Amino acid sequence: MQAEKPAFRIAGLFMALFTADVAAGAFFRAAFLSDVWQALVLAISCCFFVAGILLLEGRNRRGESTTLHREEETR
């Protein structure tokens, strides 16, 4: 199992929660998170996204990249 996938999934869940709160506040004036909680949810989402990117980069540096036969596509 790839280590970065759970980090991206958790980041996506927190971003979906943030987006749902912003949309509820914009369209229905029914935001369910306070400003502080919105900031925390967004910060947590960003942290998990950065962790996923760092895990992905670490895997690529160790030579476990997803390229076929060590060939990278260049254009």
Side-chain angles (χ1 to χ4, degrees):
M1 185 171 157
Q2 297 171 346
E4 67 275 356
K5 280 190 177 182
F8 287 132
R9 287 186 179 140
I10 293 170
L13 287 173
F14 277 102
M15 186 52 74
L17 176 66
F18 177 76
T19 303
D21 181 63
V22 170
F27 295 116
F28 306 113
R29 295 183 187 244
F32 47 88
L33 295 175
S34 69
D35 291 343
V36 173
W37 279 106
Q38 280 184 346
L40 286 174
V41 166
L42 186 60
I44 291 169
S45 176
C46 290
C47 288
F48 275 104
F49 182 78
V50 167
I53 292 292
L54 290 174
L55 288 169
L56 187 64
E57 286 294 319
R59 188 180 75 180
N60 286 344
R61 283 189 190 251
R62 286 191 308 264
E64 301 172 10
S65 68
T66 58
T67 58
L68 296 173
H69 307 292
R70 303 250 184 241
E71 296 175 352
E72 293 185 9
E73 183 179 354
T74 57
R75 291 183 185 203

